[in-house]
């Protein structure tokens, strides 16, 4: 869907978190989590888009910049929600492969 592409584009346009884009990044991360979970359970093409575009790499990069701040809190909360709600085998395998979570933790 168009909204997902817009969210992804927002992540791409904001690789560095600062005071002027902090709220946008937090909301984008939150919304992507919703898409990821919904896609995992209802529309594999949405989930595949997020995987193919390495959304977890973006989340990791954001987390590295903002340890302990509100953005880091949102990223960690998002990852927690994703881990708790993924249902498909593909989603779980992706999440726990490639050491994405290991690098974040």
């Amino acid at each position: 869907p168009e909204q997902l592409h817009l969210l992804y584009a927002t992540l791409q346009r904001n690789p560095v978190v600062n005071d002027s884009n902090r709220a946008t990044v937090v909301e984008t991360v939150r919304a992507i989590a919703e898409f990821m979970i919904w896609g995992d359970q209802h529309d594999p093409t949405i989930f595949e888009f997020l995987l193919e575009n390495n959304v977890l790499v973006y989340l990791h990069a954001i987390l590295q910049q903002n340890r302990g701040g509100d953005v880091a809190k949102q990223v960690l909360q998002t990852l927690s929600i994703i881990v708790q709600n993924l249902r498909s085998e593909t989603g779980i395998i992706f999440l726990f492969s490639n050491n994405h979570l290991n690098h974040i933790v």
Side-chain angles (χ1 to χ4, degrees), residues 7-8 10-12 14-15 17 24-34 36 47 50-51 53-67 71-83 94-95 100-101 103-105:
L7 291 169
Y8 180 69
T10 300
L11 273 185
Q12 289 182 305
N14 294 283
V17 180
T24 299
V25 171
V26 167
E27 179 56 26
T28 301
V29 168
R30 187 202 60 73
I32 284 175
E34 288 180 10
M36 191 173 242
F47 193 74
L50 294 168
L51 302 183
N53 289 286
N54 294 314
V55 169
L56 291 179
V57 172
Y58 281 97
L59 296 181
H60 183 222
I62 291 168
L63 186 60
Q64 286 183 311
Q65 296 174 49
N66 191 259
R67 296 184 187 273
V71 178
K73 178 181 170 184
Q74 182 63 54
V75 169
L76 293 173
Q77 193 173 32
T78 294
L79 291 170
S80 176
I81 290 167
I82 290 169
V83 167
F94 171 77
L95 196 59
H100 291 301
L101 289 182
H103 292 299
I104 291 171
V105 174

